[in-house]
Coordinates of all heavy atoms in Angstrom, one line a residue:
F385 N -22.8 77.8 -61.1 CA -22.1 76.6 -61.5 C -21.0 76.8 -62.6 O -21.2 77.7 -63.4 CB -23.1 75.6 -62.1 CG -24.3 75.3 -61.2 CD1 -25.6 75.7 -61.6 CD2 -24.1 74.8 -59.9 CE1 -26.7 75.5 -60.7 CE2 -25.2 74.6 -59.1 CZ -26.5 74.9 -59.5
T389 N -17.7 72.9 -60.5 CA -18.9 72.1 -60.2 C -19.0 70.8 -61.0 O -19.4 69.8 -60.5 CB -20.2 73.0 -60.5 OG1 -20.0 74.3 -60.2 CG2 -21.4 72.4 -59.8
L392 N -16.7 68.3 -59.6 CA -17.3 67.8 -58.4 C -18.3 66.7 -58.8 O -18.4 65.6 -58.2 CB -18.0 68.9 -57.7 CG -18.9 68.5 -56.5 CD1 -18.2 67.8 -55.4 CD2 -19.7 69.7 -55.9
A396 N -18.1 62.7 -57.8 CA -19.2 62.1 -57.0 C -19.9 61.0 -57.8 O -20.3 60.0 -57.3 CB -20.2 63.2 -56.7
F490 N -27.2 59.4 -54.9 CA -27.9 60.7 -55.0 C -28.1 61.2 -56.4 O -29.1 61.6 -56.8 CB -27.1 61.7 -54.2 CG -27.6 63.1 -54.2 CD1 -28.7 63.5 -53.4 CD2 -27.1 64.1 -55.1 CE1 -29.2 64.8 -53.5 CE2 -27.6 65.3 -55.2 CZ -28.7 65.7 -54.3
F508 N -33.4 69.6 -58.6 CA -32.3 68.7 -58.3 C -31.0 69.5 -57.9 O -30.3 69.1 -57.0 CB -32.1 67.7 -59.4 CG -30.9 66.9 -59.3 CD1 -30.8 65.9 -58.3 CD2 -29.8 67.1 -60.1 CE1 -29.7 65.1 -58.2 CE2 -28.6 66.3 -59.9 CZ -28.6 65.3 -59.0
L509 N -30.7 70.4 -58.8 CA -29.5 71.2 -58.5 C -29.5 72.0 -57.3 O -28.5 72.2 -56.6 CB -29.1 72.0 -59.8 CG -28.7 71.3 -61.0 CD1 -28.6 72.2 -62.2 CD2 -27.4 70.5 -60.8
D510 N -30.7 72.5 -56.9 CA -30.8 73.2 -55.7 C -30.5 72.3 -54.5 O -29.8 72.7 -53.5 CB -32.3 73.8 -55.5 CG -32.5 75.0 -56.4 OD1 -31.5 75.6 -56.9 OD2 -33.7 75.3 -56.6
V511 N -31.0 71.1 -54.6 CA -30.8 70.1 -53.5 C -29.3 69.7 -53.5 O -28.7 69.6 -52.4 CB -31.7 68.9 -53.6 CG1 -31.4 67.9 -52.5 CG2 -33.1 69.3 -53.5
L512 N -28.7 69.6 -54.7 CA -27.3 69.3 -54.8 C -26.5 70.4 -54.1 O -25.5 70.1 -53.4 CB -26.9 69.1 -56.3 CG -25.4 68.9 -56.5 CD1 -25.0 67.5 -56.0 CD2 -25.1 68.9 -58.0
T513 N -26.9 71.6 -54.3 CA -26.2 72.7 -53.7 C -26.3 72.6 -52.2 O -25.3 72.9 -51.4 CB -26.7 74.1 -54.2 OG1 -26.6 74.1 -55.6 CG2 -26.0 75.2 -53.5
E514 N -27.5 72.3 -51.7 CA -27.7 72.3 -50.2 C -27.0 71.1 -49.6 O -26.7 71.1 -48.4 CB -29.2 72.2 -50.0 CG -30.0 73.5 -50.2 CD -31.4 73.4 -49.7 OE1 -31.7 72.5 -48.9 OE2 -32.2 74.3 -50.1
Q515 N -26.7 70.0 -50.5 CA -26.1 68.8 -49.9 C -24.7 69.2 -49.3 O -24.4 68.7 -48.2 CB -25.8 67.8 -51.0 CG -25.1 66.6 -50.5 CD -24.8 65.6 -51.7 OE1 -24.9 66.0 -52.8 NE2 -24.3 64.5 -51.4
G516 N -24.0 70.1 -50.0 CA -22.7 70.6 -49.4 C -22.8 71.4 -48.2 O -21.8 71.6 -47.5
R517 N -24.0 71.8 -47.8 CA -24.2 72.6 -46.6 C -25.0 71.8 -45.6 O -25.6 72.4 -44.7 CB -24.9 73.9 -46.9 CG -24.1 74.8 -47.9 CD -24.7 76.3 -47.8 NE -26.1 76.3 -48.2 CZ -26.5 76.5 -49.5 NH1 -25.6 76.7 -50.4 NH2 -27.8 76.6 -49.7
G518 N -25.1 70.5 -45.8 CA -25.9 69.7 -44.9 C -27.3 69.5 -45.3 O -28.1 68.7 -44.6
G519 N -27.8 70.1 -46.4 CA -29.1 70.0 -46.8 C -29.5 68.6 -47.3 O -30.7 68.2 -47.2
Y520 N -28.6 67.8 -47.7 CA -28.8 66.4 -48.2 C -29.4 65.6 -47.1 O -30.3 64.8 -47.2 CB -27.6 65.8 -48.8 CG -27.7 64.4 -49.2 CD1 -28.7 64.0 -49.9 CD2 -26.7 63.5 -48.8 CE1 -28.8 62.6 -50.3 CE2 -26.8 62.2 -49.2 CZ -27.9 61.8 -50.0 OH -27.9 60.4 -50.3
I521 N -28.8 65.8 -45.9 CA -29.3 65.0 -44.7 C -30.7 65.3 -44.4 O -31.6 64.4 -44.1 CB -28.4 65.3 -43.5 CG1 -27.0 64.8 -43.7 CG2 -29.0 64.6 -42.3 CD1 -26.0 65.1 -42.6
R522 N -31.1 66.6 -44.5 CA -32.5 66.9 -44.3 C -33.5 66.4 -45.3 O -34.6 66.1 -45.0 CB -32.6 68.5 -44.2 CG -31.9 69.1 -43.0 CD -32.4 70.5 -42.8 NE -32.1 71.4 -44.0 CZ -31.0 72.0 -44.2 NH1 -30.0 71.8 -43.4 NH2 -30.8 72.7 -45.3
R523 N -33.0 66.3 -46.6 CA -33.9 66.0 -47.7 C -33.7 64.5 -48.2 O -34.3 64.2 -49.2 CB -33.6 66.9 -48.8 CG -34.0 68.4 -48.5 CD -33.8 69.2 -49.8 NE -34.0 70.6 -49.5 CZ -34.7 71.4 -50.3 NH1 -35.2 70.9 -51.4 NH2 -34.9 72.7 -50.0
L527 N -35.1 62.3 -51.8 CA -34.3 62.0 -52.9 C -33.8 60.5 -52.9 O -33.5 60.0 -54.0 CB -33.0 62.9 -53.0 CG -33.2 64.2 -53.8 CD1 -32.0 65.0 -53.8 CD2 -33.6 63.9 -55.2

Side-chain angles (χ1 to χ4, degrees):
F385 308 116
T389 323
L392 170 64
F490 178 81
F508 171 71
L509 290 174
D510 285 344
V511 178
L512 178 65
T513 302
E514 289 189 15
Q515 180 187 8
R517 300 196 299 268
Y520 175 47
I521 295 175
R522 294 194 302 273
R523 296 184 182 222
L527 270 179

